[in-house]
Amino acid sequence: MATIKDVAKLAGVALSTASYALSGDSRVSSKTRSKVLEAARQLNYRKNGFAMDLKRSRTKTIALILTDLSGPYYSELIRSVQEVALTNGYDLIACSSMGGRDSTAVKFLREKRADGAIILAPNIRDEVLIETSGPQFPIVVMDRPLCSEFLVNVLVDGEQGGYTATRYLLENGHRHVAYISGSADSYDNHLRYQGYLRALAEAGLEEQSKWRLSGNFVREGGYNATKMMIMQGSLPTAVFYGNDEMAIGGLKAFEESGISVPDDVSVIGFDDIQLAEYVNPPLTTIRQPKSEAGSLAAHLLFQILGGESVKQSYMLTTEMMERASAGKSKVES
């Protein structure tokens, strides 16, 4: 079935222009509108009827689309968005993007079954978000910088957070610092890794490939990556995990192997989930403003729905949380 992207391509216009033309917007010239309508006719393109109905009346619902609905990070985010939605008299629908382009979430977006959406799901393609966003359906994106007229970005400075974490370890005398990464296609992971590399470079150090393993942002992945690192027989003096879930898995692996944290190896995470201060030892980590980011995204969505103008991009900062899992290196540098 043809999409509006196909129509725009055949007509030789931008996605937003095609959307305006098909909606009868006065900003589009009659000549351009004719080109778009002819392209739509050739492709037998039809707007989704359910979506058209929703444009005529508000659903009083916003959507929050996440890669996964489980895990402590997502639960805090859902709670903060829900509070803002309820305050504004709206319901919140949270759904997973599992399944990629064929997921229920993508269908939900295309059919516009809500008044707007907040996205934290890197597996939903940029083109889908650009195509589905519009004056009647604003979208706030939290996991990538994406420029389009009806998209707003709420981002966290993960690069600076990764730099701060690694710099903290270096300042405590560590010269052998490993990095356990999240998903390879994750924008957040890329930023944290770049911060790690920047700190190493400033200290005149190079990354060692044997100490960069993937844990896929899950506790079991952090546990397995740490076990693999231990089995290599050459342990770093410190490990920076791309999130707290992996770091907690790493703590378990070290404990099972009789390796003391932080006496034998220092550990630092990223996110500052609620569990971080209750594990043994309490986890040193980079605090990511989860609740603040969710609240800001929701507030921005309601401002747009209310006809207010907002900036296209917002950047939030991270904060170092010093606890007991990281200390000074016992190895001579």
Side-chain angles (χ1 to χ4, degrees), residues 58 301-310:
R58 290 280 175 90
L301 197 61
F302 284 113
Q303 287 178 44
I304 299 168
L305 290 171
E308 298 180 39
S309 296
V310 300

Side-chain angles (χ1 to χ4, degrees), residues 168 244 262 272-278 281-287 320-327:
Y168 176 84
D244 289 348
D272 193 29
I273 60 176
Q274 290 182 349
L275 185 60
E277 61 182 311
Y278 296 105
L283 184 63
T284 296
T285 185
I286 300 296
R287 180 182 180 274
M320 185 77 195
M321 305 298 292
E322 294 186 54
R323 298 192 180 104
S325 68

